């Protein structure tokens, strides 16, 4: 599987399918996605979902909202798994809020979520926007992610200190940070984060630059 970092919290998981998660920035439109996953309604995650008009998976309330906007959706909820061909998409908790602003009013969109995607023998956990929560240990126990995509920017989500604990609990061999350095409130220097994880565990932190990516092979 090739994991392309589009930027902010947007990744494209490319294998037997192309799965785009949280399509913002607008560069996400360059990915010819088969499927779009949206973790929650905030603009920096919902992004261009409505314009893309691809098959979209989100939590029930957000999926219903999107379907009224003409998007083909599959609504699901936390703890459930949706199977699309041979890809398993599981919705997991995130500790965050979820709303969409419309005409100056915040419409609440259920709760925020994360996703565990299993494709071609590789398991990727996209945490969405979240604070640290101890049920991340269950995500390890249940799904054994190979890759953890974790927010590290602070202010709206975990910062590097909390994400360090998250990485340990999730136990994925590869950690890719997201949701940082894209606006002033979430600027972070990740030198200490990377050093602390790599010097005390066998995990690798790869701060992938927007526009590039990594290839991950299935565990043998
Ligand atoms: Ni958010
Ligand atoms: Mn966000």
């Amino acid at each position: 599987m090739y994991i392309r970092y589009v930027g902010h919290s947007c990744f494209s998981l490319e294998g037997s399918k192309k799965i785009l998660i949280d399509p913002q920035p607008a560069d996400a439109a360059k990915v010819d996605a088969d499927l779009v996953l949206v973790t929650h309604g905030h603009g920096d995650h919902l992004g261009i979902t409505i314009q893309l008009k691809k098959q979209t998976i989100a939590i029930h309330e957000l999926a219903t909202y999107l379907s009224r906007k003409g998007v083909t959706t599959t609504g699901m909820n936390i703890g459930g798994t949706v199977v699309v061909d041979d890809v398993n998409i599981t919705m997991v908790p995130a500790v965050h809020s979820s709303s969409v602003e419309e005409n100056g009013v915040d419409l609440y969109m259920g709760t925020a979520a994360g996703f565990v995607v299993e494709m071609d023998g590789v398991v990727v956990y996209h945490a969405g926007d979240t604070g640290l929560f101890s049920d991340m240990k269950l995500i390890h126990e249940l799904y054994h992610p190979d890759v953890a995509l974790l927010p590290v920017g602070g202010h709206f989500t975990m910062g590097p200190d909390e994400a360090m604990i998250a990485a340990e609990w999730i136990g994925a061999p590869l950690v890719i940070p997201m949701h940082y350095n894209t606006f002033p409130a979430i600027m972070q220097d990740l030198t200490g984060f990377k050093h602390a994880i790599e010097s005390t565990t066998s995990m690798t932190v790869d701060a992938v630059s927007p526009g590039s990516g990594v290839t991950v092979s299935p565990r043998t």
Side-chain angles (χ1 to χ4, degrees), residues 138-214:
L138 283 179
I139 292 173
H140 168 77
E141 248 176 65
L142 291 169
Y143 310 112
H144 292 98
D146 298 294
V147 185
L149 313 177
L150 300 180
V152 298
H155 195 114
F156 299 105
T157 67
M158 310 188 272
D161 292 349
E162 295 83 11
M164 226 178 275
I165 298 168
E168 270 175 47
W169 284 347
I170 296 155
L174 176 62
V175 174
I176 301 177
M178 63 178 181
H179 211 271
Y180 70 107
N181 291 2
T182 39
F183 51 94
I186 60 172
M187 297 306 290
Q188 294 290 345
D189 177 354
L190 297 185
T191 315
F193 172 75
K194 181 177 167 69
H195 178 76
I197 291 178
E198 293 185 347
S199 62
T200 56
T201 73
S202 58
M203 297 183 260
T204 301
V205 175
D206 194 344
V208 177
S209 308
S212 40
V214 289

Side-chain angles (χ1 to χ4, degrees), residues 67-80:
S67 69
R68 287 191 200 108
K69 301 286 180 190
V71 181
T72 308
T73 59
T74 301
M76 63 183 301
N77 220 312
I78 289 165

Side-chain angles (χ1 to χ4, degrees), residues 40 42 44-45 96-97 129 156-157 179:
H40 65 293
H42 294 156
D44 59 319
H45 300 261
H96 193 68
S97 62
D129 275 359
F156 299 105
T157 67
H179 211 271

Side-chain angles (χ1 to χ4, degrees), residues 4-130:
R4 182 187 306 280
Y5 185 40
V6 180
H8 195 56
S9 289
C10 181
F11 288 85
S12 161
L13 311 182
E14 305 181 354
S16 52
K17 292 241 175 259
K18 266 193 190 172
I19 300 175
L20 186 60
I21 308 176
D22 285 357
Q24 192 277 337
D27 270 4
K30 292 181 191 157
V31 176
D32 187 22
D34 299 300
L35 198 59
V36 176
L37 312 184
V38 184
T39 60
H40 65 293
H42 294 156
D44 59 319
H45 300 261
L46 187 65
I48 56 168
T49 302
I50 293 170
Q51 295 90 306
L52 285 174
K53 289 212 165 26
K54 304 275 186 181
Q55 170 72 30
T56 299
I57 294 180
I59 204 161
H60 168 72
E61 290 82 353
L62 181 54
T64 304
Y65 169 84
L66 290 170
S67 69
R68 287 191 200 108
K69 301 286 180 190
V71 181
T72 308
T73 59
T74 301
M76 63 183 301
N77 220 312
I78 289 165
T81 298
V82 167
V83 182
V84 180
D85 297 325
D86 285 330
V87 181
N88 288 359
I89 296 148
T90 301
M91 185 172 275
V92 295
V95 178
H96 193 68
S97 62
S98 178
S99 60
V100 173
E101 196 205 308
E102 201 164 77
N103 305 321
V105 178
D106 283 324
L107 307 173
Y108 278 85
M109 289 290 150
T111 67
F115 286 104
V116 175
V117 177
E118 183 182 359
M119 174 166 66
D120 305 340
V122 176
V123 179
V124 179
Y125 167 44
H126 187 297
D129 275 359
T130 188

